[in-house]
Amino acid sequence: MTTLTLFYDSRCPLCAAEMRRLAQLDRHGRLAFSDMHAEGFDAARYGVTMAALDAELHGLDDQGRMLVGIDCIAAAYTAVGRAWLVWPLTIGFTKPLWRSLYRWFARNRYRASEMMGFTCADGVCATRYR
C-alpha cells in the first residue's frame, strides 16, 4: 500500500543515494519512487512543472496532495517509521528556517554531492550551478 510517491532527481548522486536509503527502510511498501529524468516522465501529469521538481523534492500522497520540500521529507521518513529523525522539520515556528535551509541545499545539491564524495555521472555535477 503506497502512501507517498517521491519524484526525485536521479542525476544528483546524493539524491539518488537518499532514495535508495529510503527504499531500504521501507519495509512495508509505503513509498514509490519516480525519477523525474526517466524517459516519458511528464511533470504536467501531476500538475507541476519540471522547474518546480528540479527546485525541491516533491511527493504525491495517497490523498492526492502534492507535498513539497521539508513537508515531503517529513512525510517520507514518517512513512518508513523514522519520524523521529525529522521531527524538527514539523515544529511550526521552526518551519520557515528549515524551508530556507532546505531550499539552499536543494539549489546546491550537485556541489554537496561532490563535496560528500559522490561520483557524478556524465559530468552533470560539473555543469550544474556553476
Side-chain angles (χ1 to χ4, degrees):
M1 174 178 127
T2 300
T3 59
L4 185 66
T5 299
L6 298 168
F7 302 101
Y8 73 100
D9 177 3
S10 64
R11 294 180 183 172
C12 165
L14 181 59
C15 306
E18 186 62 15
M19 294 304 113
R20 285 190 301 274
R21 175 177 143 81
L22 281 167
Q24 289 173 343
L25 294 171
D26 186 20
R27 305 211 190 290
H28 301 289
R30 294 187 175 132
L31 298 178
F33 303 89
S34 185
D35 174 4
M36 64 186 249
H37 296 295
E39 185 154 338
F41 179 82
D42 182 14
R45 175 179 175 209
Y46 304 100
V48 296
T49 64
M50 285 300 286
L53 291 177
D54 193 46
E56 295 182 80
L57 180 66
H58 283 60
L60 186 65
D61 73 9
D62 58 356
Q63 304 293 311
R65 294 175 298 193
M66 188 64 75
L67 304 174
V68 180
I70 64 167
D71 296 324
C72 183
I73 294 166
Y77 275 87
T78 299
V80 298
R82 300 291 174 101
W84 58 272
L85 287 172
V86 294
W87 70 267
L89 302 179
T90 65
I91 300 170
F93 72 92
T94 67
K95 279 188 171 187
L97 172 64
W98 291 116
R99 280 192 177 107
S100 292
L101 289 171
Y102 173 75
R103 286 178 181 145
W104 177 87
F105 177 80
R107 280 191 310 273
N108 294 286
R109 66 188 182 271
Y110 291 94
R111 283 190 197 135
S113 291
E114 285 182 315
M115 291 171 60
M116 295 177 82
F118 288 95
T119 302
C120 297
D122 302 326
V124 171
C125 291
T127 59
R128 294 291 302 243
Y129 303 104
R130 302 252 177 195

